[in-house]
Amino acid sequence: MHTAHAEVLIVGSGPTGLVLAIDLARRGIPHRLVERSERGFPGSRGTGIQPRTLEVFDDLGLLPAFMAESRLIPKAQAWEGPERVRVWDFVESADASPGVPYPDPRMLPQWRTVELLVERLEELGGHVDFRTELTDFAQDPDGVTATLRHADGTVETVRAGWLVAADGGRSTVRKALGVPFTGEELTVQPVLIADVLLAGDDRAEIDSDHWHMWPRAEGGLFTLRSLEGSDALQLMAAFDATVEPDRLRDVSAEDLTRLVATRTGMRLTVTEVRWVSDFRARTAMAERFRHGRVILAGDAAHVHPPNGGQGLNTSLQDGYNLGWKLAAVLRRGAPDALLDSYDAERTRVAAGVLGLAASVHRADRAGGRDGLQRRGKETHQLTLGYRDSALSRDLRHDVPEDALRAGDRAPDATCMDASGSPVRFFDVFRGPHFTLLALTDEEFTAPAEDWIRTCRVGGGASADLRDAHGHAKSGYGSGFFLVRPDGYVALATDDVADVAEYVKLVAA
C-alpha cells in the first residue's frame, strides 16, 4: 500500500485545527488536515469571540473578513412573560488604550467562523480533507503512522512527524492514547441549544438589537438571540435534571413552538429547526497535552462550560501557540523539548480558564434579577500570559512593579515611520517571524537570523519608527523586547547580546 507523507497530521477541522493549519501553511510546512464530517461544524454553538482572539485573527489575516460579518454583543433584554423588564449591558469592554486595539468581544455563529477559517486556509494553498476519518495510528521515536478511511471506503496510510488531535471533547485520539480526562460536572441539568426560524404575531418583538432573556421562565432560563448574517435565531433553554437528553436531541419544530409558548407567553411559532444539540455544563482536562509525537489541542485537551465564552477562544489559541513551535522544530532544528513548552504553557492557561468559566457558571446559576451575570474584563483573555514559562526571560534590573514583563502579551502601539505615516506594532508583528523591538537610541548590531525582524523605535536617524505619541514608551518602557510569533514577550533585556543566547532555546 502506498504511504503518503506529511510533516504534521491534524485530526479535526474545528477552529483549533484550522488555526494550526493556517499557521503551518503560511510557514510552508506540509501538513494534512482531515475531518470525518461532510462539512464544517453546522451549528451556532460557540458564538463569542474575545478581544485576544481578534488579535490572533489580525495576525493570521482573517480580521477584515471577520469584522465585516460579526457584530458587538448586543445588550440584554430581560423579560417576564410577554413583558419587557430591563435592558442592561451583558459584557464589559476592555479599557480603551493604544495597546488594546480591539476592546470589545464580538459574535458570529461558529459555523461561519469555521467557514472563514477554511477560506483563509485555502487562500494560503491549504485545504481540508472532509469525510476522512482517522481509524488507527501508532507512534515511534521518529513519527506517527496513521490509517485514514475515506468516504468511498478507500484506506490510506500517512506517515507524519507529528500528530495533532483537535478532534473535540470525545477525541478518539485521546481515548486511543488512554489519557485520563478528569474534571467536574457543574450541573446535572441539561441545556438545549438550537438554531431556529421564528414567526408569529409577536415576532417583531424579538428584535436583533438585543439578547432576549427570560431568567424566571417556567421550567428554567430561556433565551433567544438573532444570529449574525442569518435569518435564524439561537434558542437556549435550561431544563430540570429529570429531562432525558434523548428527548432534547429529537425535538421537532412543534415541540419547540410549545416550549417557546410556555417559557415566554408570546405568540411565536418555530417554523424550522436547522440545528439542535444539548449539553450539561462540565469541566474536564487532560493532565498532559503532549504524549510523545502526539499532541492534544482544543476540546480534545480541555472542555469548558459555555459561560463566559472561553472554550472556543482558548482552544483556538492552542493551535496558535503550537504552530510556531512545530515550525521551529521542523525548520530551524529546535529541540523537540520546545514542544514541552506547549504542554507547560497551555495546561496552565487551560486550568485557569476552566476555573474562570466554572466561576461564571456558578454565578449564573445563583441567578439574580437577570439570571445571567454580566461578563467582566477577566473574560477577554488579554491578561493571560506565560511569565512562568521556560521560554520567558526577563533580564532587566530595577523594573517597576507594574512594568511589562517577559511572558506578557505584547501590547499594540502606534508610531510614525519616516514619511510620517502611522504604523502599529501589530503591523510589525504580523507574520510568522519573531520581532525584536529596540526601544533605544543607542547603536547596536541587529541579530543575523532571518526569522527575527528588528524594529528600532526612537528618535535617532537609524530608527525605523518614531514614538510620536509616547505609546511605545508607555506600553514597554525602554530596552530590547523579543516578541514571539504568537504575540508574547519572550525576552526583555537591556543588552542586545542576550538575544543570541535566547536563540538557542528556539533554534539549533
Side-chain angles (χ1 to χ4, degrees), residues 90-346:
F90 188 47
V91 297
E92 185 176 0
S93 296
D95 295 327
S97 72
V100 181
Y102 317 116
D104 299 298
R106 298 183 71 86
M107 302 197 85
L108 191 67
Q110 183 170 326
W111 66 265
R112 184 55 184 153
T113 298
V114 166
E115 285 184 347
L116 291 176
L117 287 165
V118 170
E119 291 168 11
R120 180 58 180 146
L121 177 61
E122 292 175 344
E123 288 174 358
L124 294 168
H127 70 280
V128 182
D129 290 337
F130 289 109
R131 303 177 71 188
T132 301
E133 183 179 7
L134 176 77
T135 59
D136 192 20
F137 68 91
Q139 63 172 311
D140 56 61
D142 298 317
V144 178
T145 301
T147 302
L148 305 179
R149 183 174 60 219
H150 299 279
D152 61 4
T154 59
V155 175
E156 177 186 12
T157 300
V158 175
R159 178 67 178 173
W162 302 90
L163 170 63
V164 178
D167 53 341
R170 297 182 176 90
S171 171
T172 57
V173 175
R174 187 189 67 238
K175 291 176 181 177
L177 288 170
V179 175
F181 202 51
T182 58
E184 174 187 7
E185 188 168 67
L186 298 176
T187 178
V188 295
Q189 285 78 26
V191 177
L192 170 73
I193 183 170
D195 298 345
V196 303
L197 296 185
L198 206 59
D201 293 345
D202 291 330
R203 176 63 181 85
E205 294 295 314
I206 310 301
D207 59 82
S208 61
D209 294 331
H210 298 91
W211 194 332
H212 301 273
M213 302 182 182
W214 285 261
R216 298 187 181 89
E218 179 184 344
L221 173 71
F222 185 80
T223 74
L224 289 168
R225 184 182 71 78
S226 296
L227 292 172
E228 298 73 26
S230 172
D231 54 353
L233 295 91
Q234 185 187 72
L235 176 157
M236 188 176 71
F239 287 85
D240 184 86
T242 59
V243 175
E244 292 296 327
D246 288 345
R247 286 181 54 195
L248 300 183
R249 299 188 193 110
D250 297 331
V251 292
S252 64
E254 292 75 18
D255 294 330
L256 292 181
T257 294
R258 289 190 289 272
L259 176 67
V260 171
T262 300
R263 299 287 179 100
T264 70
M266 301 176 75
R267 295 167 295 177
L268 297 168
T269 301
V270 174
T271 59
E272 183 181 340
V273 181
R274 292 186 173 172
W275 171 78
V276 65
S277 185
D278 69 281
F279 66 88
R280 285 186 170 90
R282 68 176 182 130
T283 64
M285 178 174 153
E287 183 179 5
R288 291 184 296 113
F289 294 175
R290 181 188 174 187
H291 299 265
R293 290 272 176 167
V294 182
I295 299 170
L296 305 178
D299 285 356
H302 45 80
V303 295
H304 309 246
N307 311 70
Q310 299 299 291
L312 181 149
N313 294 270
T314 303
S315 295
L316 179 153
Q317 289 173 58
D318 285 350
Y320 191 54
N321 180 289
L322 181 59
W324 73 266
K325 296 174 180 178
L326 281 169
V329 171
L330 291 166
R331 288 294 180 270
R332 295 201 300 271
D336 289 357
L338 177 62
L339 296 174
D340 291 336
S341 73
Y342 165 78
D343 186 291
E345 290 178 354
R346 296 310 295 172

Side-chain angles (χ1 to χ4, degrees), residues 34 47 72 144 161 165 169 218 220 236 271 300 302 306 308 334 359 421 428 446 450 473 480 498-499 507:
V34 300
T47 58
L72 298 175
V144 178
E218 179 184 344
M236 188 176 71
T271 59
H302 45 80
S359 175
S421 299
V428 178
D450 60 5
K473 181 70 173 178
F480 297 90
D498 292 327
V499 176

Side-chain angles (χ1 to χ4, degrees), residues 393-478:
R393 300 286 176 87
D394 204 315
L395 305 178
R396 299 167 298 169
H397 302 285
D398 301 322
V399 178
E401 186 68 27
D402 60 349
L404 182 74
R405 302 275 180 167
D408 291 348
R409 163 190 165 273
D412 199 4
T414 299
C415 298
M416 297 294 178
D417 65 13
S419 69
S421 299
V423 177
R424 295 167 50 201
F425 276 3
F426 279 10
D427 297 330
V428 178
F429 298 161
R430 191 178 299 112
H433 55 273
F434 276 73
T435 304
L436 178 62
L437 290 177
L439 277 74
T440 178
D441 288 329
E442 297 179 7
E443 291 301 316
F444 66 94
T445 301
E449 288 78 11
D450 60 5
W451 45 270
I452 300 178
R453 178 180 297 175
T454 299
C455 180
R456 302 167 189 254
V457 184
S462 63
D464 300 301
L465 298 176
R466 182 168 55 89
D467 189 17
H469 306 292
H471 296 168
K473 181 70 173 178
S474 175
Y476 288 80
S478 61

Side-chain angles (χ1 to χ4, degrees), residues 52-63:
R52 177 57 188 154
T53 301
L54 295 176
E55 296 177 357
V56 175
F57 286 171
D58 186 341
D59 178 51
L60 297 178
L62 184 72
L63 189 66

